[in-house]
Structure formats: C-alpha cells, structure tokens
Amino acid sequence: MRIDNPKIVAALPELGVELRSGCALAELTSLGIGGTTDLLRIKKHEGIPDLLDLLDAHGVPHRFIGGGSNLLVGDGELPWVVLQLAKPEPEVVIDGTFAQVDAAADLGRTVTFCAKNDLGGMEGLIGVPGTVGGALRMNAGAYGMQIGSYVREVKLYRAAGRKIEILKGDQISFEYRHTSFAPDDMMLAVKLELPSKPFKEILAGIRICNEKRRSSQPLGQKSAGCIFKNPPGASAGRMIDELGLKGLNVGDARISDRHANFFVNAGSASAKDMLTLIADVRERVHKAFDVELEHEVVVWNA
Ligand code: EPU
C-alpha cells in the first residue's frame, strides 16, 4: 500500500516520522519472506497518537513491526502500511538493578549490555533474534526463563484509549509465549528489574545457552524460530521429527534438518510455500497424534 495523500506526507516530518516508500518486508524479517508496502519509521514516541489519528482519519490500515524475527508476512503488494520504531541512543539506561530499555533495542545487545553491568537473569535469551519490544509482547523465553518475570513497568501506545500509557508489571499477565497486551498495543519501552550477578558468572551462563542453541537450532539459516508452540507436556519439534519430516519442503520452504520445529527459507521461498508446508505438517501431526498444533509464528497474510 502506498501513502500518496499529500496531507499525510506533509504532516509526517513534524510527527518525527520518516516515510520509506515501497519497502520489501522480506528485508525486515528473519525469514526473508514478505511483499512490499510503505514503511513509517517513528523517531519520537510522543508523535504516535497523532500519527495514528492521521492514518485512521484517512483510512490507512497499519501494522506494527518489531525486529521481524517471529513473523511470516504474505506475498505481493500488501494491503496495509507498516510502522516501526527507530532505534534511539542509548537503547538501555541502567539504574541500580533496573534497566530502562527502549522497545526498539536489539534483544541480544541488551542482554550483553546488562551483563556488563552485572545484571543477569536473561542469559537464556542470548541468540534469540529480534527487539526487546517483540520479546516483551510474545513473552519470549528459553532454557527455563521468560522475559516477563523481570518486567516492572511497560510504556505502550494503547489503540483502545488512543494514548501512551504506563502499566505496572503486575497489571500484565505473562504466560507461555502469550501476554495480556491487546493485538494493537504498541510496546514503547520497558523497565526490567534484574538479579545482580558478577559479569563472569553471567558470561558463563550465556556461553552454556549459546552452545545449547548452536548444537540444536539452525542458527545460520533464515527462519522465524519455532513455527509451532509446544502443546502442554509435549514437544512440537519431537513430534514432527518422529514423523520423519525433517527436510520436507514446498519450494524453498523446508523443515530444518537440525530442528524439526524450525522451518527455513532455503532460497527464495514465498509465503504461500511456507503456509502450505505449515498446513501440511499440522494435518500430519493431527492425524498421527490427534494434536492441533498452534502457530507460534505470527502470520500477516493480508
Ligand atoms: N527434539 C527432537 N527433534 C527435533 C527437535 C527437538 O527430538 O527435531 C527433542 C529434543 O531432543 C528435546 C525436545 O524435543 O528432547 C525439546 O527440544 P528443544 O530442547 O530443542 O526445545 P523445544 O521445546 O523444541 C523450546 C522453545 C525454543 C527454545 C528452546 C530452548 C518453543 C516452541 N520452543 O524448543 O524457542 O529456544 O525450547 O529453551 O517453546 C522459539 O520460541 O522460537 C524457540 C525456538
């Protein structure tokens, strides 16, 4: 979708918004899949309510993207524009055992920056691609930890109230890969409270998690992490593996040989290829195990 209304284009600079015309979302997602649309890069949080009022007044549909690492975007010209926060300087400010982090901050860089300040707890998230905002919205977790445990405050734009609000940690529920945020809430910043630990100890934990991840996940390939959530008490990856489906492909969309819940883009897969593969695997798992796998990856298919 293109923003060609001169009234919108003229209003953007004052709102701290940069318009990038005709962006290929394949370049903004870790899967390397996704069609084309206009991208609005937001440089100041305060301009967001007016920006969204402006887009709504002119009937311009929009979606928010974080780091694009857990996202499968449809092919072709997309029927909405995409909003993304620009990275501020600095991304993280430490105050005692608190870390004030911008939602656009890179998750891995945040984990290491906190570690260098003797703040641990997030070792498991090392190697998870994406932004802190995306991790927060999905309650990203690995190796027995989840980011929600450390959240004390969240600054967000709430589409329901059309304004920026601050929520306390205990006003938000964090479950397995799920939070109580509304789908159109936009994460802006988070205050984390992290356990104090010597840097060396945190680094040792980071190394262990890195090693585990490297040995079990296809890190060098284009993927969106795990495609399906684990059903209660079971592992989606193990079930797909037991069915002998590693290597199964639709075009360049392929089930990783290393981890069966990672579906990789082995070249120039389309969203259609990936969605066909996902549907096929869901059906096979359902037939074999009588389990309906739920998507963990967020799908934006028009
Ligand atoms: N397994 C297989 N074959 C496979 C993959 C896994 O037999 O192809 C077996 C493993 O041997 C293990 C069990 O299944 O016994 C669980 O596998 P793993 O430890 O790799 O964990 P997972 O349940 O597949 C979850 C998260 C990952 C997270 C890891 C580490 C989900 C859907 N996945 O994977 O998160 O990194 O644990 O904590 O919750 C993600 O969210 O995108 C993600 C990758």
Side-chain angles (χ1 to χ4, degrees), residues 5-301:
N5 183 322
K7 276 191 187 159
I8 303 181
V9 175
L12 294 176
E14 207 173 307
L15 297 174
V17 177
E18 179 201 343
L19 171 62
R20 291 193 188 165
S21 211
C23 269
L25 287 205
E27 286 166 21
L28 295 185
T29 61
S30 58
L31 257 176
I33 294 177
T36 308
T37 191
D38 279 1
L39 178 71
L40 296 169
R41 298 260 302 162
I42 298 169
K43 292 179 193 153
K44 56 175 191 189
H45 294 168
E46 295 65 34
I48 293 171
D50 286 347
L51 170 65
L52 292 178
D53 285 350
L54 182 71
L55 295 178
D56 288 347
H58 291 89
V60 179
H62 46 78
R63 301 202 171 175
F64 306 123
I65 194 170
S69 60
N70 193 41
L71 189 59
L72 171 53
V73 181
D75 303 312
E77 184 66 28
L78 301 164
W80 19 260
V81 298
V82 167
L83 276 50
Q84 186 178 44
L85 296 176
K87 287 193 199 306
E89 273 299 331
E91 294 177 325
V92 187
V93 175
I94 305 285
D95 177 12
T97 57
F98 294 100
Q100 183 70 36
V101 192
D102 194 274
D106 177 79
L107 181 60
R109 271 210 307 274
T110 301
V111 174
T112 41
F113 185 82
C114 291
K116 283 178 189 161
N117 285 276
D118 298 326
L119 295 178
M122 297 201 291
E123 293 85 338
L125 290 177
I126 203 76
V128 174
T131 60
V132 168
L136 177 65
R137 155 168 291 289
M138 292 296 296
N139 191 20
Y143 306 116
M145 61 75 58
Q146 51 178 31
I147 193 168
S149 316
Y150 303 108
V151 172
R152 297 294 169 263
E153 224 169 70
V154 173
K155 179 183 171 197
L156 73 173
Y157 170 79
R158 302 211 98 167
R162 307 198 73 83
K163 61 178 197 287
I164 292 175
E165 291 178 25
I166 307 257
L167 292 182
K168 294 282 177 205
D170 58 12
Q171 293 175 277
I172 308 158
S173 81
F174 291 99
E175 289 147 43
Y176 168 62
R177 302 293 193 277
H178 179 80
T179 58
S180 51
F181 297 117
D184 50 6
D185 283 347
M186 186 180 191
M187 306 295 110
L188 301 179
V190 60
K191 187 184 200 176
L192 302 168
E193 186 178 13
L194 299 166
S196 289
K197 279 192 208 173
F199 175 55
K200 271 192 179 164
E201 206 179 293
I202 304 171
L203 197 61
I206 284 178
R207 287 205 172 117
I208 292 170
C209 294
N210 249 336
E211 194 39 53
K212 281 192 195 162
R213 200 179 288 286
R214 232 180 270 131
S215 66
S216 63
Q217 300 181 358
L219 300 187
Q221 287 179 283
K222 290 182 187 168
S223 84
C226 285
I227 285 286
F228 298 110
K229 291 184 185 178
N230 283 336
S235 158
R238 185 185 289 149
M239 288 192 283
I240 300 167
D241 194 0
E242 278 176 11
L243 293 177
L245 300 180
K246 279 180 170 169
L248 183 72
N249 73 297
V250 174
D252 277 338
R254 182 181 303 273
I255 301 182
S256 159
D257 292 322
R258 182 160 283 200
H259 194 301
N261 198 9
F262 278 66
F263 292 16
V264 301
N265 174 4
S268 50
S270 64
K272 191 161 174 257
D273 295 335
M274 195 53 85
L275 288 165
T276 307
L277 184 62
I278 292 172
D280 182 19
V281 171
R282 276 193 89 223
E283 202 178 307
R284 291 179 194 233
V285 168
H286 184 230
K287 263 197 195 140
F289 299 100
D290 198 23
V291 168
E292 297 269 7
L293 289 178
E294 252 184 72
H295 289 175
E296 205 244 332
V297 65
V298 174
V299 180
W300 286 357
N301 196 25

